[in-house]
Amino acid sequence: MRRSWQVIWPPLVTFVLLHALWELIVRRLGVPAWKVPAPSDIFRAVVDRSADLMTATAHTSAAAVLGFGLSALIGVAAGTALSSMKWIERAFYPFTVFLQTVPLVAIAPLLVLWLGYGLASVTVSAFIVSLFPVIANTLAGMRSVDPGLRDMFRLYDAGPLRTLFKLKLPAAMPNVFTGLRIASGLAVIGAVVGEFVAGTFDQQGLGLLVQSASRNLQTPLVFAAVAAASLLGLTLFAIVNFSGYWILRRWHASAR
Amino acid sequence: MRRSWQVIWPPLVTFVLLHALWELIVRRLGVPAWKVPAPSDIFRAVVDRSADLMTATAHTSAAAVLGFGLSALIGVAAGTALSSMKWIERAFYPFTVFLQTVPLVAIAPLLVLWLGYGLASVTVSAFIVSLFPVIANTLAGMRSVDPGLRDMFRLYDAGPLRTLFKLKLPAAMPNVFTGLRIASGLAVIGAVVGEFVAGTFDQQGLGLLVQSASRNLQTPLVFAAVAAASLLGLTLFAIVNFSGYWILRRWHASAR
Amino acid sequence: GKGPSDPSATSTGGQTPVKLILNWKPEPEFGGFYEARDKGLYKNHGLNVTIESAPEHVTQLVAAGKTQFGIMAADEIVTARSQGIDIVALFAVYQTNPQGIMTHASRGLKEIGDVLRNPGTLAVQPGLAYVNYLEKKYAPVRVQVVPYDYSIVRFMASPDFSQQCFITAEPLAAKKQGADPRVFLIADSGFNPYAGIVVTRGDYLKNNRKTVENFIAATRDGWQNYLDDPMAANATMGQLNKEMDARTFADAAEAQKPLIETDETREHGLGTMSNERWQTLIGQLQQLKKISSPPPAGECFVNP
Amino acid sequence: MTESVQIEGEALAVSLRSVTRRFEGGVLALEKLDLTVQAGEFLAILGPSGCGKSTLLRMVAGLDRPNDGSVRVGPNGLPPRGGIAYVFQDPHLMPWRNVIDNVALPLELRGEAKSKRRSTALAAIERVGLADASRRYPNQLSGGMRMRVSLARALVTEPELLLMDEPFGSLDELTRQMLDQQLYELWRERRMTVLFVTHAVHEAAYLSSRAIVMTRRPGRIILDHRIDLPETRGVWMRTEPAFMKECRVLYKALEWGAA
Amino acid sequence: MTESVQIEGEALAVSLRSVTRRFEGGVLALEKLDLTVQAGEFLAILGPSGCGKSTLLRMVAGLDRPNDGSVRVGPNGLPPRGGIAYVFQDPHLMPWRNVIDNVALPLELRGEAKSKRRSTALAAIERVGLADASRRYPNQLSGGMRMRVSLARALVTEPELLLMDEPFGSLDELTRQMLDQQLYELWRERRMTVLFVTHAVHEAAYLSSRAIVMTRRPGRIILDHRIDLPETRGVWMRTEPAFMKECRVLYKALEWGAA
Ligand SMILES: Nc1ncnc2c1ncn2[C@@H]1O[C@H](COP(=O)(O)OP(=O)(O)OP(=O)(O)O)[C@@H](O)[C@H]1O
Ligand SMILES: Nc1ncnc2c1ncn2[C@@H]1O[C@H](COP(=O)(O)OP(=O)(O)OP(=O)(O)O)[C@@H](O)[C@H]1O
Ligand SMILES: [Mg+2]
Ligand SMILES: [Mg+2]
């Protein structure tokens, strides 16, 4: 109890201070709300449009969480596969970079053709955008296993599967969690951007809400939707962070 | 010489095989070029539009490279700052996640208001998108320094700056490079997406080229531009990878 | 695409299910479709119509047979046909193209050419045919051309900023926030492709002629009703698009009327298209090098 | 899953023929080394720091390969799966497992049942005097305790070939004597082959049936000596003249090899 | 940048008053320990594995704090900056630095000039017998070599308080004797305070001016013994009856404490 409070208050204080400052500046300079809204304007937009914001957040969350889950699973699997043999890494690692650099806009037509508009396509967008950090960190983690322990597993003739589950995965955990931390934010941005190109207005998520609010110059609503996306990202991040802390606390220097 | 050849041929072989397969499938199934172009269609687009592709790649490269450089510098600095004190990390780390989850589309109008259209804004987009992985990995690296070495530095009363440069940074290098690997691809995508909102048509980069080709159903050109973006990402990635290998090869398990 | 035995088009219980994909959110530019759906006009013609609204990629979905009907612009149809994609125009909501360039009235500009030939900034989507047309026609262009991002923040913020607009959308939003926008229609510069066009695939048309005719007939009635009284459909769409208020819906419906109802339509019915105008467009696109092999104008459209 | 195919109670012979090991960077650790260890022999290996003792053990374990020459273990040249145990010079524990789970690892890798694993591991932990620390994690142990965990881990499998690289170097004299005694009794009972690197001459004389002394790098064998002491050994023996004599022989060879 | 403010040649006294150290999880490592070490004393610390020797040294170095009681070093209670050196139980080298650069680290942290650093480091490396390995990286060294690098690193700074945690445990007898001798002579010359943890009774007797023996955890001091031997010591002394007697005293206390 005491511990989690210690973790929560510093960002909360920072949050409140930053927003007070922001409100002050905007009010002082008389910036119009359509340009940069004050926190109070945004708050009003949140209240007025709470139902829409909520369903939009729900739609985006679904895609982001599913995409993140896929990234976690497939990213760890791919990182593992790449780490298993030097030639596999050499032959395929460069191509995983491709996944990261391909603009979603370019593959969106294909996604839509295969998966249609909506959740499936948006989930795949979130997945594509958040996959690489998990792969790269898993690979890095697996390759820095204590060589002495690796020798021990060879000595006991442990076989690739046991070596994976009992040595490489546990040893790579700190790195995997770093990858997941990065992926949590990217999955949200992937879902939001995915909606721009493959979403549908019938199940409007935060991405399309941002777009249509922005077209109608409802800047406070734009900021509210962006805040919702960030909150979603932060929630995913916090979950990853706490599970990481929980799993590693006993033995890893970084968790102390 | 022999070594670099060993690194180059496996992905090359994979590349050639994959493309041959792709050509074969597309030809066999008679998929139209507007849907999925065959490699030969893309190659033709590359040849026909080589001048445009080249200048577009140059523009995007400039922004991606600058943005990546900024991420590397500021990301390592921020990761270091976060790692320096537990309360700083608690108060600010969550906010760095915000940077990752805020859709560029939402802040791009502000960017343009401040920095105008063109290179500066696009560079900042690339920077924003690629920053977080560097922060997260630097932080993780700094927090897993061998506690024994940390003790030694405390014993010799090394002071925060010396501890940083002589212990924490070198020890965090493997992680920092993992972060940079991820950032290299993200910087490219950040530049491409940044162009969607903050680019200019007189200095048209790959992002705008993709969009206009896509609107005109010139799918082979879309693929060619995407390939150029990927190549740019791969080049950055390769540079990071080789410098990482070069710096870590003597002592880190992952480089062996 | 799929063969003639398109399973989604076979009738179930007397009603043929068909899908229409709009290329943006429910707004007055689609009023007639909602009117026809809600007033049961489609049902009366034996159709069970689903309307979906998506931001992009209608061309691909129609071409791939994922939907029976979609909304596209005339230049997109020509481009698609020139690539061998068998898409046919059926019904053009806008006889006059509703796209325009919006600038600040305070600048005192007289025509589109002034926007391009003076310094300033012009935001347009990449790859639009009419932008190439304008650039060619009003060369040398001195305005800085930048991408349009669906937002009018930058327009509001700088006095020498101009941008592409849909006459029923951005100018109204800007006016509501106190700006004084001046809109020049692209059509006035001599480039005037039909817009808001209902399309289908050629083979679907061939094999389901009756369904298509029914769909267009109901759509025509829907639009006629909507032009007479947009209130009901506006209310429906307002539920689906809360970013636009009721007042703006009404204003937009009023503003688009003259673009939909012309002498031509009074003579031949709403949505009608002429070979001559398709021919003109194809010629223009060819000159702009947007297409390499010009499709015959007669294949681009039918007036069912 | 896959049960080990180890042949119960069959000790393994080891033979090295003209083995040379040169590391990248040009360090010549071993040169043309010949060594045959009979099945069931207890061989002590002595030599100055950096002479190649660990390198030798690693090659016998198959964890490193000679640049030249051959290493053969057992009748087929290759050791049976799971038949070797190795106490490395550093403890190399898994930081995410507590003491029991670290010790039980070899049994786990062999696919033994959980309850069996636990009891076997606990017995081994008790034997090295760590019963009350069995639930602690490696970062909560002292240096000597970590080394004892590593020792317990090597002994749970009842190996046919036991490689030990200064296993008792970081232990106090009393604990060391106790473990020496235990190890010796284990060997008398099971007669596995043991290669035992140590820096303590009296430990070598006390435990082994044969001792070799190596020279400075590149390590050559300067003395190959059968220890001529009765099979029943105990602490009492340490002051016997015969024992002292063996120690002196080894010590002289060490001095000679270091010169 | 900032030059060390160390007072040249001023050895440091150490005093622990009623020190208790209890780790999270409830392990009581030390309980109400009192110990005073005079400036310039060479104190050997003996005790069974896990009794709290390393914990004691860490607290003296200021790397750990007692839960109860006080630790004072030097006249002000706090040691002067850079005045302490510590040979940890594990070598703790920086894997990204070669031997010279690892050894030169303390000088670097003090801000000494590069050329000075190099020559001082090389001299220390030579003294521990690693001259030909000075450009190698830690992963290219044997276990004993790594420990010697750590030793050289501790000695380059000419510390006023030297803490050593089993520094010679992984070395062969001859190297060990040579380093024992060197350390003793260094101490005779500079008279810094030394706290020296060892498991070798004869090493303790040979080096120290005073030895303490600790009991099993929680570690208490069971014997605090002044070593009654002449100040000039050498290998020849190891067979002298007076030396043997001191060893026996320490050994008896160890046996007693372990019981
Ligand atoms: N990976 C390596 N690269 C280069 N040199 C190495 C490597 N590993 C060991 N060496 C060198 O080989 C020699 C023998 O090393 P080894 O570890 O076998 O010594 P050792 O006899 O076990 O010494 P110690 O008693 O100190 O443990 C040493 O000089 C060492 O520096
Ligand atoms: N971080 C920790 N958490 C819990 N217990 C600890 C921790 N560090 C040490 N201990 C315990 O404290 C006791 C004393 O440890 P210490 O390292 O001081 O022993 P030592 O006398 O140096 O032993 P050795 O001779 O084996 O090195 C041991 O029982 C150890 O398990
Ligand atoms: Mg060794
Ligand atoms: Mg200790």
Side-chain angles (χ1 to χ4, degrees), chain B residues 1 5 9 14 16 20 75 88 94 103 122 126 134 147 151 164 181 186 191 208 217 219 247:
Chain B
M1 273 300 44
W5 177 238
W9 76 256
T14 319
V16 170
I88 296 186
V122 179
V134 185
D151 283 345
L164 176 62
R181 251 170 230 136
L186 284 180
L208 293 179
L217 283 183
T219 317
I247 291 178

Side-chain angles (χ1 to χ4, degrees), chain A residues 195-209:
Chain A
E195 279 170 16
F196 292 159
V197 284
T200 123
F201 288 109
D202 311 308
Q203 293 166 12
Q204 174 175 278
L206 292 170
L208 291 178
L209 185 62

Side-chain angles (χ1 to χ4, degrees), chain A residues 133-218:
Chain A
V134 185
I135 296 185
N137 269 290
T138 304
L139 180 59
M142 300 230 160
R143 304 198 53 205
S144 43
V145 174
D146 173 5
L149 285 174
R150 219 185 254 280
D151 282 345
M152 214 182 53
F153 273 70
R154 266 170 71 198
L155 192 79
Y156 288 118
D157 215 349
L161 267 187
R162 285 198 170 136
T163 306
L164 176 62
F165 284 108
K166 295 191 193 291
L167 175 63
K168 287 166 76 181
L169 267 183
M173 269 302 141
N175 294 65
V176 169
F177 271 101
T178 304
L180 292 180
R181 255 171 225 131
I182 298 167
S184 63
L186 284 180
V188 173
I189 199 74
V192 167
V193 173
E195 279 170 16
F196 292 159
V197 284
T200 123
F201 288 109
D202 311 308
Q203 293 166 12
Q204 174 175 278
L206 292 170
L208 291 178
L209 185 62
V210 162
Q211 229 175 27
S212 80
S214 141
R215 192 176 193 197
N216 289 286
L217 210 60
Q218 301 183 346

Side-chain angles (χ1 to χ4, degrees), chain D residues 238-239 244, chain E residues 201-202 205-206 225 227-230 235-252:
Chain D
R238 301 219 170 188
T239 43
M244 305 275 254
Chain E
V201 168
H202 59 267
Y206 178 76
H225 179 69
I227 300 290
D228 196 14
L229 289 173
V235 185
W236 51 267
M237 201 179 69
R238 302 218 167 186
T239 44
E240 297 277 296
F243 179 81
M244 305 276 256
K245 201 190 121 224
E246 295 291 2
C247 286
R248 261 197 307 278
V249 169
L250 296 179
Y251 193 81
K252 278 268 134 59

Side-chain angles (χ1 to χ4, degrees), chain B residues 29-253:
Chain B
L29 300 182
V31 182
W34 62 266
K35 218 171 186 175
V36 181
S40 55
D41 298 326
I42 300 171
F43 186 72
R44 209 164 310 123
V46 170
V47 173
D48 289 352
R49 300 292 298 273
S50 57
D52 290 337
L53 276 167
M54 237 125 89
T55 56
T57 306
H59 285 128
T60 306
S61 301
V65 169
L66 287 173
F68 173 75
L70 279 177
S71 280
L73 279 177
I74 297 182
V76 170
T80 305
L82 289 177
S83 81
S84 65
M85 296 258 218
K86 199 82 199 166
W87 72 262
I88 296 186
E89 185 195 328
R90 286 206 182 124
F92 295 103
Y93 196 21
F95 292 96
T96 61
V97 180
F98 173 80
L99 276 177
Q100 239 206 328
T101 49
V102 57
L104 264 188
V105 202
I107 41 168
L110 293 177
L111 276 186
V112 171
L113 282 182
W114 292 327
L115 299 171
Y117 287 94
L119 186 63
S121 290
V122 179
T123 298
V124 172
S125 303
F127 161 66
I128 290 177
V129 171
S130 60
L131 178 64
F132 186 73
V134 185
I135 297 184
N137 269 291
T138 304
L139 181 60
M142 301 228 160
R143 303 196 55 203
S144 44
V145 175
D146 173 5
L149 284 174
R150 219 184 255 279
D151 283 345
M152 215 183 52
F153 272 70
R154 266 170 71 196
L155 192 78
Y156 287 118
D157 216 347
L161 267 187
R162 286 203 169 130
T163 308
L164 176 62
F165 284 108
K166 296 191 192 292
L167 175 63
K168 286 165 77 181
L169 268 182
M173 270 304 140
N175 294 64
V176 169
F177 271 101
T178 305
L180 292 180
R181 251 170 230 136
I182 298 167
S184 63
L186 284 180
V188 173
I189 198 75
V192 167
V193 174
E195 276 169 20
F196 292 163
V197 277
T200 81
F201 288 100
D202 0 309
Q203 294 168 5
Q204 174 176 281
L206 293 169
L208 293 179
L209 186 63
V210 163
Q211 269 190 337
S212 80
S214 160
R215 186 174 302 278
N216 289 298
L217 283 183
Q218 301 174 335
T219 317
L221 184 57
V222 171
F223 275 66
V226 168
S230 292
L231 212 65
L232 173 56
L234 262 180
T235 310
L236 270 177
F237 176 82
I239 292 172
V240 172
N241 230 3
F242 278 109
S243 357
Y245 169 77
W246 189 251
I247 291 178
L248 303 178
R249 94 212 116 103
R250 282 206 212 262
W251 64 276
H252 197 261

Side-chain angles (χ1 to χ4, degrees), chain D residues 62-251:
Chain D
L63 298 175
D64 196 1
R65 294 236 183 108
N67 299 80
D68 210 12
S70 73
V71 178
R72 296 175 55 89
V73 176
N76 318 319
L78 285 170
R81 309 216 288 125
I84 303 187
Y86 196 149
V87 181
F88 293 99
Q89 194 163 4
D90 298 319
H92 289 307
L93 305 179
M94 299 164 97
W96 58 90
R97 290 188 169 210
N98 66 16
V99 170
I100 293 193
D101 293 339
N102 261 294
V103 172
L105 179 80
L107 303 173
E108 213 175 315
L109 292 178
R110 240 194 219 181
E112 276 183 28
K114 180 143 192 185
S115 61
K116 172 94 190 298
R117 247 149 57 192
R118 264 189 73 83
S119 58
T120 316
L122 272 174
I125 290 166
E126 208 149 327
R127 247 183 283 128
V128 297
L130 288 176
D132 61 341
S134 64
R135 303 219 152 265
R136 280 196 239 159
Y137 284 81
N139 64 21
Q140 301 175 313
L141 301 177
S142 79
M145 289 161 89
R146 278 200 280 270
M147 207 58 221
R148 282 182 280 163
V149 175
S150 159
L151 184 71
R153 179 178 60 190
L155 295 179
V156 278
T157 52
E158 314 208 322
E160 302 318 315
L161 171 60
L162 184 54
L163 306 172
M164 303 177 95
D165 201 346
E166 304 179 41
F168 305 140
S170 58
L171 297 175
D172 60 289
E173 296 275 349
L174 292 167
T175 314
R176 188 171 189 157
Q177 278 174 23
M178 178 192 89
L179 291 173
D180 276 352
Q181 186 65 30
Q182 277 186 19
L183 177 64
Y184 187 73
E185 272 155 25
L186 188 70
W187 176 73
R188 282 248 292 169
E189 188 185 307
R190 304 202 52 252
R191 293 285 174 177
M192 67 283 197
T193 313
V194 182
L195 271 64
F196 187 90
V197 172
T198 181
H199 287 309
V201 167
H202 61 266
E203 188 173 67
Y206 177 77
L207 285 172
S208 67
S209 52
R210 172 181 163 207
I212 60 173
V213 176
M214 292 169 69
T215 61
R216 284 210 176 294
R217 178 167 63 79
R220 278 165 299 107
I221 296 172
I222 201 179
L223 176 79
D224 189 335
H225 181 70
R226 180 147 304 281
I227 301 290
D228 195 14
L229 290 172
E231 281 246 328
T232 30
R233 300 183 189 179
V235 185
W236 51 267
M237 201 178 68
R238 301 219 170 188
T239 43
E240 299 274 298
F243 180 80
M244 305 275 254
K245 199 190 125 223
E246 295 290 1
C247 286
R248 261 198 307 279
V249 170
L250 296 180
Y251 194 81

